Amino acid sequence: MDRKATIFTKIVSMIIGILLPVVLLFALSNHTAVHVIEGEMKRNNLSQLQFLHQQMEEKVNQISINAITISNDAAIRELEFQHQDGSSFDRQKLLRMILDNITLHAGISGWNTDITVFSRMTKEIISTSNSSVYYTEEQLVKEIAKGWKYRTVANDKAIDPEFVWYSVHPITAFASPSAARLIVRTSFPPSYLQDMLDQYKADGQGDPFLYHPEFGVIANRTLNKSSSDDLIRKLNGEKLEASSIHFTAEMNGREYLASYIGLSSLGWYLVDSVPMEDILSPVTKTRNLFYGSTVLLLLLSLLASYTLYRAVQVPILAIVRHVQKIKRGEYGARLKLQGGAEFVFLIDRFNEMTEQIQDLLEKVVAEQLRSREAVLKQLQSQINPHFLYNCLFFIKNMARMGDEEAVVAMALNLGDYFRYTTRLGNQSATVAEELSVIVNYLEIQNLRMRRIDYVIDVPERMKEIVIPRLLLQPLVENAILHGIEPKEGKGTVTITGSVEDGVYRLFIEDNGIGMRTVKLEELQRIVNRSENENVGGGSSFGLWNVNQRIKLTYGKESGLLFAHGTDGGLKVTIVLQPEEGEPHVSIADCG
């Protein structure tokens, strides 16, 4: 049967052909929607982060400006002159005014910063913090530097972390701190930055924190530690830019959209991360609902297709398979499938048709078997007289020569031979029985010629093979009469056998005069002629007879093959190779 698409295959292909474009279109639409949402999410997240970044920068810059303003305050300058010329009362009054002024500046930004003013001329320290006692002139001069610094240690002692800003007078003292006449130290704790981070997170805008490659993290107070650790490890391996950067990161088994912006004033990075799935959850739910519905629709379609397949395609395939069986000769095949109402009538008629075909063929086969048996008996009856004439001619010659022993032996063996061949009830024999007759025949010929030896070496498993009677005798007779007898000296007949790949072979070889290649090829052509062609008489008739009996019994691939023998004589091979539909080589019942 041609490999064409079945009904079930066509229906499934049609369903897939309908659903596939819809799924692809939705997938494209969903991808576009996700891409748009991700882009919008990046812009929104960056906008919010930039707003927080701007607030922090403004706060820190305002504190920096206040420190610079304090360093140029006229009251503080007057403190230096009063140290040279002024009463103690006026000096205390001025100190109180300076303290009130820096206290006012400490809270003007909204953060309570610590401001410490140190005049190197008067050695006065004015501070809004009680910790000013820890600040010495050497310490303050040593720490003078531009920009904000993050400190966790002071005077070789651990302190609470703080951001520190120094302003000096004159301004050139940053290059030479020992020339500073006035030092203003401003500081604030990271907790104020944490307050801004907390407020940002409370508004539902991510999970921000401040990051520095050297000092680590200043986190909001409810930072997701497990997620932030993965992000911090990623930041540690990156070369950070000052501008705003977006990237995605795998944190705690979830995908996050992360952003960072550099705080130019503090030298830290403001980092925020948003879980992608939280933003994309509506799109994801819609996508999953669509795919689930598509899968359900596909399953229902497949179920409907399978039902149609069972109701229609299976009965059709069963009928086709049984038609193929009938084509191969299996005429006993019957349909037992219970199809639908539409197929009941068809299945019943099919079974009736095959039953009628089987009855007709059985009758034809019976007639063919009877015809074949008649042909076999006819061929076998043709070979028996031929052998009988040769034996009677031999007895006549021996009687003339007065060889009574040979006459008696020939008569006895001839009687055994006809006792063997006249069993008309069974036209078959085992190889062992045939070899027994051949031994008797060779003994008779040896009595006549006194120069014949023989070797029989057939595997035991082949001796039980059932073959037509008198299959070997004409071949041995031909070897002696036409091969060994015309030759001077000793003659040898060798009978061997082999089994290979289910093919049985018997080899009959003599060391007689042999045949030329042209005559050998002519003999092969004569033996292979059909029974309708004129074979003629002579020595080739017995060989043709044997070849026909083999082909009638085992098929056209079996028969006789002729070749030159190893010792110069003739080698005849009997090939028994049953074909499909022919009877197999059978083994006799040894029990």
Side-chain angles (χ1 to χ4, degrees), residues 10 80 184 286 309 311 357 392 396 570:
K10 291 179 179 178
E80 297 179 359
V184 179
T286 304
Y309 170 78
I357 293 175
L392 291 176
K396 181 187 73 171
L570 183 67

Side-chain angles (χ1 to χ4, degrees), residues 331-517:
Y331 300 103
R334 299 290 185 272
L335 275 170
K336 298 180 180 179
L337 181 67
Q338 296 297 327
E342 299 83 356
F343 289 94
V344 171
F345 176 80
L346 181 60
I347 292 173
D348 290 342
R349 298 294 82 77
F350 178 85
N351 288 333
E352 290 178 3
M353 178 190 68
T354 54
E355 186 175 355
Q356 292 174 1
I357 293 175
Q358 184 179 16
D359 291 340
L360 291 173
L361 288 175
E362 286 177 354
K363 293 178 181 179
V364 172
V365 170
E367 290 297 328
Q368 289 178 344
L369 291 176
R370 284 194 291 269
S371 175
R372 175 176 291 190
E373 185 177 354
V375 173
L376 287 173
K377 289 182 178 180
Q378 179 186 6
L379 291 172
Q380 195 167 2
S381 66
Q382 291 174 352
I383 199 169
N384 288 338
H386 183 69
F387 177 65
L388 175 61
Y389 299 150
N390 289 337
C391 291
L392 291 176
F393 183 74
F394 174 77
I395 292 174
K396 181 187 73 171
N397 289 338
M398 293 298 103
R400 283 182 178 179
M401 295 173 60
D403 192 346
E404 184 179 343
E405 181 180 352
V407 171
V408 173
M410 175 62 77
L412 291 176
N413 280 282
L414 190 59
D416 291 339
Y417 172 77
F418 276 102
R419 187 181 300 110
Y420 175 77
T421 59
T422 53
R423 299 174 189 172
L424 298 178
N426 186 1
Q427 296 296 317
S428 301
T430 64
V431 172
E433 292 173 338
E434 285 286 292
L435 291 175
S436 177
V437 174
I438 295 302
V439 170
N440 290 333
Y441 176 79
L442 290 171
E443 289 292 341
I444 293 171
Q445 295 292 359
N446 192 37
L447 286 173
R448 183 173 67 88
M449 300 178 63
R450 304 290 183 181
R451 61 185 180 88
I452 297 178
D453 290 333
Y454 60 89
V455 177
I456 298 177
D457 185 15
V458 177
E460 290 296 326
R461 61 180 294 190
M462 288 191 65
K463 290 182 179 181
E464 299 302 321
I465 297 173
V466 177
I467 60 176
R469 285 179 181 274
L470 296 178
L471 196 66
L472 303 180
Q473 189 273 341
L475 304 178
V476 176
E477 179 183 6
N478 187 74
I480 292 174
L481 296 181
H482 302 287
I484 296 175
E485 189 171 345
K487 175 186 176 182
E488 295 182 359
K490 283 282 188 180
T492 303
V493 177
T494 304
I495 302 176
T496 58
S498 69
V499 182
E500 184 178 355
D501 297 331
V503 179
Y504 296 82
R505 292 180 176 86
L506 285 169
F507 306 98
I508 301 172
E509 184 176 354
D510 63 76
N511 63 344
I513 61 173
M515 302 179 79
R516 290 179 299 171
T517 301

Side-chain angles (χ1 to χ4, degrees), residues 118-169:
F118 175 68
S119 174
R120 296 190 67 192
M121 295 183 63
T122 63
K123 305 301 181 183
E124 293 284 352
I125 296 178
I126 306 171
S127 177
T128 61
S129 173
N130 295 328
S131 61
S132 61
V133 295
Y134 296 108
Y135 303 136
T136 64
E137 180 179 357
E138 293 78 14
Q139 182 72 22
L140 291 172
V141 171
K142 181 181 178 181
E143 291 182 358
I144 291 176
K146 286 186 176 181
W148 284 95
K149 303 297 177 184
Y150 185 72
R151 292 196 342 144
T152 57
V153 176
N155 295 331
D156 297 328
K157 293 182 179 180
I159 62 173
D160 292 335
E162 60 179 355
F163 288 94
V164 179
W165 171 278
Y166 285 93
S167 58
V168 295
H169 185 81

Side-chain angles (χ1 to χ4, degrees), residues 92-353:
Q92 289 298 325
K93 182 178 177 182
L94 182 61
L95 289 174
R96 169 60 59 183
M97 184 178 65
I98 293 173
L99 179 60
D100 291 341
N101 188 24
I102 63 176
T103 301
L104 178 63
H105 279 283
I108 198 171
S109 65
W111 293 354
N112 290 323
T113 57
D114 292 333
I115 300 176
T116 300
V117 177
F118 175 68
S119 174
R120 296 190 67 192
M121 295 183 63
T122 63
K123 305 301 181 183
E124 293 284 352
I125 296 178
I126 306 171
S127 177
T128 61
S129 173
N130 295 328
S131 61
S132 61
V133 295
Y134 296 108
Y135 303 136
T136 64
E137 180 179 357
E138 293 78 14
Q139 182 72 22
L140 291 172
V141 171
K142 181 181 178 181
E143 291 182 358
I144 291 176
K146 286 186 176 181
W148 284 95
K149 303 297 177 184
Y150 185 72
R151 292 196 342 144
T152 57
V153 176
N155 295 331
D156 297 328
K157 293 182 179 180
I159 62 173
D160 292 335
E162 60 179 355
F163 288 94
V164 179
W165 171 278
Y166 285 93
S167 58
V168 295
H169 185 81
I171 193 68
T172 57
F174 281 114
S176 178
S178 59
R181 294 167 52 192
L182 181 68
I183 301 173
V184 179
R185 183 184 187 276
T186 304
S187 65
F188 66 89
S191 58
Y192 292 124
L193 297 174
Q194 286 181 301
D195 291 340
M196 298 185 73
L197 295 174
D198 290 342
Q199 182 60 43
Y200 181 88
K201 184 175 182 179
D203 294 337
Q205 298 171 348
D207 197 15
F209 61 88
L210 292 172
Y211 169 79
H212 193 282
E214 180 182 354
F215 301 114
V217 173
I218 298 175
N220 65 77
R221 294 177 177 85
T222 57
L223 180 68
N224 188 335
K225 191 72 168 59
S226 59
S227 299
S228 63
D229 287 344
D230 293 336
L231 181 56
I232 292 168
R233 280 192 292 269
K234 184 173 180 61
L235 293 173
N236 287 336
E238 298 289 336
K239 182 179 180 181
L240 303 182
E241 305 289 340
S243 58
S244 59
I245 299 295
H246 284 296
F247 62 93
T248 57
E250 188 77 18
M251 299 186 294
N252 198 25
R254 301 172 65 188
E255 187 178 11
Y256 281 73
L257 173 63
S259 308
Y260 69 82
I261 304 177
L263 289 170
S264 58
S265 57
L266 297 179
W268 285 60
Y269 294 90
L270 178 60
V271 184
D272 187 22
S273 61
V274 180
M276 297 286 288
E277 62 185 41
D278 290 352
I279 304 299
L280 300 176
S281 58
V283 178
T284 303
K285 289 179 180 179
T286 304
R287 180 198 63 194
N288 293 340
L289 180 61
F290 176 80
Y291 286 150
S293 301
T294 303
V295 171
L296 180 61
L297 180 60
L298 180 60
L299 292 176
L300 292 176
S301 301
L302 292 177
L303 179 61
S305 302
Y306 179 74
T307 303
L308 182 62
Y309 170 78
R310 291 288 299 175
V312 177
Q313 189 68 21
V314 170
I316 293 176
L317 291 177
I319 293 174
V320 171
R321 284 195 298 269
H322 279 70
V323 169
Q324 293 293 334
K325 288 182 179 180
I326 293 175
K327 183 179 179 181
R328 292 194 300 267
E330 301 177 20
Y331 300 103
R334 299 290 185 272
L335 275 170
K336 298 180 180 179
L337 181 67
Q338 296 297 327
E342 299 83 356
F343 289 94
V344 171
F345 176 80
L346 181 60
I347 292 173
D348 290 342
R349 298 294 82 77
F350 178 85
N351 288 333
E352 290 178 3
M353 178 190 68

